[in-house]
Amino acid sequence: MNDLDSLENQDIQHLKLFLYLLPVFGFFPALWTLYRHKGTRQERSLSRLVIKLSLGWLVAYFLLGAGATTSESLQVPLLLTSSLLTSGYFLVNLWMMVQLWRRKTIELPLLGRVGRLP
């Protein structure tokens, strides 16, 4: 019975990590995990990575949007760049989900690394 509880606990842990990787919405559980100073080392590490990625996307998205509204000549290129940035953000989160599903190391240059996941 103890082995079954251990497997269920690992599955729940794995689902929590997937929750962190949801684009936009995963930011909030990740922030809550860091705020409470709880969770495993992998949870905290993935939470930090998700928060850095989300905040970077959000700041760049708003800056590009503000630039597009103030500039007439650069409006289309800035909006196109903003949409490419958003698509990239979603694809990176999807790639990290695949890495998590395959139980591989998640590593993003300049942002951080999460070791082998459960």
Side-chain angles (χ1 to χ4, degrees):
M1 195 71 166
N2 194 12
D3 291 336
L4 183 60
D5 291 339
S6 174
L7 286 175
E8 287 178 9
N9 193 18
Q10 282 183 344
D11 290 341
I12 290 171
Q13 177 72 19
H14 208 67
L15 284 175
K16 282 173 56 176
L17 295 175
F18 271 110
L19 179 66
Y20 297 148
L21 292 175
L22 287 175
V24 181
F25 299 109
F27 172 82
F28 299 105
L31 186 64
W32 185 250
T33 297
L34 290 179
Y35 175 74
R36 291 183 327 166
H37 300 289
K38 299 218 176 169
T40 64
R41 186 177 58 82
Q42 284 91 7
E43 278 183 66
R44 291 190 312 268
S45 180
L46 186 62
S47 294
R48 281 189 293 274
L49 180 66
V50 164
I51 288 172
K52 288 179 201 174
L53 186 65
S54 297
L55 288 178
W57 167 75
L58 191 63
V59 166
Y61 180 79
F62 280 120
L63 288 176
L64 288 168
T69 57
T70 59
S71 172
E72 291 183 20
S73 62
L74 293 176
Q75 186 174 16
V76 172
L78 288 175
L79 289 175
L80 180 63
T81 304
S82 176
S83 66
L84 289 174
L85 177 76
T86 300
S87 298
Y89 169 68
F90 276 75
L91 285 175
V92 166
N93 277 308
L94 180 65
W95 174 81
M96 289 192 302
M97 285 179 175
V98 170
Q99 292 295 95
L100 177 63
W101 178 63
R102 295 172 61 202
R103 299 185 190 275
K104 300 267 181 160
T105 300
I106 296 175
E107 183 175 5
L108 293 175
L110 302 175
L111 290 179
R113 175 184 180 164
V114 179
R116 191 166 292 273
L117 299 166

